[in-house]
Amino acid sequence: MTITMHVITGFLGSGKTTLLKRLLADPLMHDTAVLINEFGEVGIDHLLVQEVSSDTILLSSGCVCCAVRGELKEALINLLERRRKGEIPAFSRVILETTGLASPAPILATLTLDPQLRGRFKLGQVVTVVDALNALSQAEHYPEWLAQIAVADKLLLSKVDLVTDVQYKPLQTQLAAISHGIPLFISGQLDDPVNQLFNQGLESEDIASKVKEWQLYSPMPTAHSDKVNVCCLVMDNSLNWTGFGIWLSLLLKCHGAHILRVKGILNIGPKEQPLVIHGVQHHLHPPIHLTHWPDPQDQRSRIVFIVRDLDTKQLQRSFNAFSTLMKSNYSKI
Amino acid sequence: MCGLCGLLGEDIHWSDPINDEWPRRRERLLRIATINRILIPFHLKVSDFQGAAYLVQNATGRQELASGLEQLWQTVETLLGYPLDPFNEQLMKHLEQIQ
């Protein structure tokens, strides 16, 4: 069985540990293994039932808690091995807390590209905790902050009670522009954090409505900072997957470091179901077929890029130039 | 391995064919034909190597094998001496002329 791994990320001091404390005490976490940076910070002594080893403990809810001391891959394989030996209870999902300064993209790549992990784990939801008080200054000074926001499937805003409306408005505008339709939760208003944050994203039955939330159909966004831009590419005719794959793989290889997020819905032929793509930096997740178009009136291919320090005019021009190779009848020549 | 084509297959990649409209070998040859159209301005040529790898050759006869699309771009970079950029002016002009 493939185990879903959810990721909690967020900048230093954003409130990841506070969220973890709340999650670990939740009875719904009984079938979960949590990989955290340090036990000490979370303060879970009162929940401890059994110490499995120096870096693994069992909590009263049945949740297994492990401290990651080296490579993520090693920690995940150890976890499976201990489960196989019966040292820890079976779990159906893993939640990983990243370090505050980490860009989540390499973690996602490890999970899907590593031959030992591929097939055993799959990526679930990426939850990014945003410190409402310091977010704008972090956005200004730390490129990791932006990468953490752009990769998110859910945003959780913390310390909202510490900011005034005047401070909150610009943050809200900036987050809306970067996250491009990602659900935003307020930390103090979460009733059921486990379900609200980790329910199935693109694996849910209604993928089409999830894709609709991406705002692929909103008007062309304008630039919202000197460095970060959103570029929306539209193709009227159905496109050839082989040609498109060649262009996108070349683009991600060459400019992946500047592509914070890519999302899209593709029309790959009149007889084919729409295809959803989404990726982070150099990495693209396996494409997903939709059963129907989110908007049946508009069946054009749409791809949205959130980029940093990348010329969107060049991106548009390159897409147009390569479109010759993406025409659906090209491959039949 | 595909029982009909005898292909051992490369690593799984997101750009792999998404349906089985055509046999894998045909899909592969179409992909190679498309890549070769991109490589014309750079005097490089890609051909299939036993259905399991790409053979990349330059005009001076230097050749390298690559497995999968990711490694192919890396090999092209090695033979060119610089990365193959989809924003490359020469490349975009070449593709715009085809249109």
Side-chain angles (χ1 to χ4, degrees):
Chain A
M1 192 184 82
T2 311
I3 296 164
T4 306
M5 187 175 96
H6 305 288
V7 178
I8 297 174
T9 186
F11 205 71
L12 294 169
S14 59
K16 296 187 296 296
T17 309
T18 312
L19 172 64
L20 271 174
K21 272 184 195 169
R22 192 170 167 196
L23 289 172
L24 290 173
D26 196 317
L28 289 174
M29 295 282 285
H30 63 92
D31 61 346
T32 310
V34 183
L35 297 172
I36 59 174
N37 295 317
E38 281 291 334
F39 285 147
E41 289 178 10
V42 186
I44 42 179
D45 292 351
H46 61 294
L47 300 169
L48 193 146
V49 169
Q50 184 197 339
E51 188 170 326
V52 180
S53 70
S54 61
D55 61 353
T56 307
I57 54 172
L58 188 61
L59 306 183
S60 54
S61 60
C63 168
V64 180
C65 203
C66 295
V68 183
R69 286 183 177 160
E71 293 288 318
L72 171 66
K73 177 186 171 181
E74 206 177 300
L76 288 171
I77 289 173
N78 277 343
L79 211 54
L80 286 182
E81 188 60 16
R82 282 184 176 154
R83 188 174 82 147
R84 190 184 64 78
K85 288 178 182 167
E87 292 174 8
I88 55 174
F91 51 87
S92 63
R93 66 179 160 198
V94 172
I95 295 178
L96 169 76
E97 177 206 13
T98 70
T99 59
L101 283 171
S103 167
I107 295 169
L108 313 188
T110 302
L111 209 61
T112 40
L113 297 179
D114 188 278
Q116 278 183 285
L117 299 180
R118 198 171 58 204
R120 298 164 98 179
F121 291 95
K122 64 181 175 185
L123 182 68
Q125 298 286 285
V126 178
V127 177
T128 301
V129 187
V130 183
D131 174 351
L133 192 60
N134 299 304
L136 289 175
S137 110
Q138 287 164 351
E140 187 74 25
H141 298 106
Y142 301 99
E144 296 82 5
W145 182 88
L146 204 54
Q148 289 170 350
I149 302 293
V151 77
D153 296 307
K154 306 261 171 74
L155 289 176
L156 181 65
L157 215 48
S158 66
K159 306 179 191 175
V160 177
D161 49 334
L162 301 179
V163 293
T164 60
D165 276 356
V166 179
Q167 289 171 302
Y168 186 53
K169 282 270 163 59
L171 172 65
Q172 221 178 4
T173 312
Q174 180 151 2
L175 287 178
I178 306 167
S179 61
H180 219 63
I182 295 298
L184 178 74
F185 297 93
I186 309 287
S187 183
Q189 297 171 8
L190 277 180
D191 309 319
D192 179 7
V194 178
N195 284 323
Q196 282 172 291
L197 298 178
F198 303 115
N199 65 4
Q200 302 299 304
L202 283 181
E203 287 173 8
S204 66
E205 286 175 15
D206 191 13
I207 307 172
S209 70
K210 296 277 174 199
V211 172
K212 215 167 185 176
E213 285 171 11
W214 287 356
Q215 296 181 357
L216 295 170
Y217 298 90
S218 58
M220 182 78 83
T222 50
H224 50 79
S225 90
D226 293 340
K227 294 178 178 178
V228 180
N229 273 305
V230 177
C231 179
C232 187
L233 306 176
V234 180
M235 193 166 184
D236 291 338
N237 304 316
S238 59
L239 57 80
N240 169 277
W241 174 246
T242 306
F244 177 77
I246 288 170
W247 173 72
L248 189 59
S249 67
L250 203 52
L251 181 74
L252 297 181
K253 161 88 172 66
C254 222
H255 298 287
H258 301 281
I259 296 172
L260 297 170
R261 189 88 193 236
V262 52
K263 303 168 187 177
I265 183 164
L266 308 178
N267 181 337
I268 50 162
K271 291 179 190 166
E272 298 287 340
Q273 294 169 321
L275 196 70
V276 170
I277 55 161
H278 66 125
V280 177
Q281 298 194 352
H282 297 280
H283 177 71
L284 202 82
H285 297 287
I288 302 164
H289 281 288
L290 290 191
T291 51
H292 59 277
W293 282 88
D295 180 359
Q297 304 302 319
D298 186 354
Q299 301 194 357
R300 292 179 294 173
S301 299
R302 291 169 178 275
I303 310 126
V304 169
F305 288 90
I306 302 170
V307 298
R308 178 172 49 198
D309 295 328
L310 190 73
D311 186 347
T312 51
K313 284 182 185 157
Q314 284 285 77
L315 180 59
Q316 179 75 60
R317 189 183 159 200
S318 175
F319 180 72
N320 291 344
F322 275 75
S323 63
T324 306
L325 310 178
M326 296 180 204
K327 284 178 185 160
S328 58
N329 58 355
Y330 171 71
S331 59
K332 294 184 175 67
I333 294 167
Chain B
M1 182 195 282
C2 169
L4 293 174
C5 309
L7 294 188
L8 278 170
E10 297 161 320
D11 272 355
I12 299 165
H13 191 256
W14 60 261
S15 68
D16 290 342
I18 41 172
N19 57 29
D20 49 7
E21 188 187 355
W22 290 325
R24 274 178 57 193
R25 189 176 286 273
R26 170 129 197 238
E27 288 275 6
R28 186 177 174 77
L29 293 176
L30 283 168
R31 178 188 270 190
I32 289 171
T34 310
I35 292 167
N36 276 327
R37 292 191 74 166
I38 296 168
L39 295 178
I40 289 172
F42 306 98
H43 309 290
L44 294 178
K45 196 169 187 305
V46 175
S47 49
D48 177 47
F49 183 79
Q50 304 204 349
Y54 298 107
L55 182 68
V56 193
Q57 294 168 292
N58 70 4
T60 62
R62 188 178 163 195
Q63 54 186 33
E64 300 258 348
L65 277 175
S67 173
L69 206 52
E70 300 291 334
Q71 213 183 85
L72 173 72
W73 300 135
Q74 193 55 51
T75 307
V76 165
E77 183 177 335
T78 308
L79 290 179
L80 283 178
Y82 53 87
L84 179 62
D85 189 341
F87 296 174
N88 181 295
E89 191 60 33
Q90 198 186 353
L91 172 59
M92 286 199 286
K93 276 190 176 156
H94 161 71
L95 292 172
E96 283 159 358
Q97 276 167 8
I98 296 175
Q99 292 173 354

